[in-house]
Structures are given as structure tokens and as C-alpha cells.
Amino acid sequence: MTKARLRIILNTLVNSQEQISDIFAALADPTRRRILMSLSQSAGGEGAVTALAEPFPVSLPAISRHLRVLEDARLI
């Protein structure tokens, strides 16, 4: 591998650190991981927030905040 190619790879990694941190922060919460699992198993990955929130012991506004974090991390 050339030094120029290595420099490009390292620059890409450094520049994407914020996005990588956002992804790991979003996945750190077990509720958000379960939400992602739910969405991945639903037809087309879509569904009403109320249906999505049903199995969770939290309020709809809390589920909405979890969804916002997942959106900000570009996971949904």
C-alpha cells in the first residue's frame, strides 16, 4: 500500500469519528437496540410508533426520543 493511499484511509477514518461515535452511543442503549431489532423484523422496516412502543415499559415521548437518536446516528 502506498503512503498516499494510507493517508487517504487514515483521513477518512479521522473524519468519520464523530459519526462512528454517534452510532456506538445510539447502540449503547438496550431499548434502542430492541427498537432496531423490531424495525428490522417488520415488513419494510416501517410501522406506527404506537405499535413499535407497545412492548416497551416507557412513554411514547421516550420512544420518540429513542427514534430521534437512531435517526441522528443514521441507523434508521
Side-chain angles (χ1 to χ4, degrees):
M1 182 176 300
T2 66
K3 286 184 180 183
R5 179 72 179 140
L6 183 58
R7 193 173 315 123
I8 290 170
I9 291 170
L10 289 175
N11 284 340
T12 302
L13 287 172
V14 168
N15 292 335
S16 64
Q17 287 301 305
E18 185 175 335
Q19 183 180 2
I20 291 169
S21 293
D22 290 346
I23 291 169
F24 279 111
L27 294 174
D29 186 278
T31 300
R32 289 193 284 269
R33 291 194 305 269
R34 286 182 54 207
I35 289 171
L36 278 176
M37 185 84 77
S38 244
L39 288 171
S40 71
Q41 293 171 350
S42 67
E46 296 180 6
V49 174
T50 52
L52 183 64
E54 193 173 300
F56 300 100
V58 296
S59 66
L60 281 176
I63 292 294
S64 292
R65 285 191 295 273
H66 283 301
L67 290 171
R68 194 171 313 116
V69 170
L70 292 169
E71 285 175 337
D72 290 346
R74 298 180 184 167
L75 293 171
I76 59 173

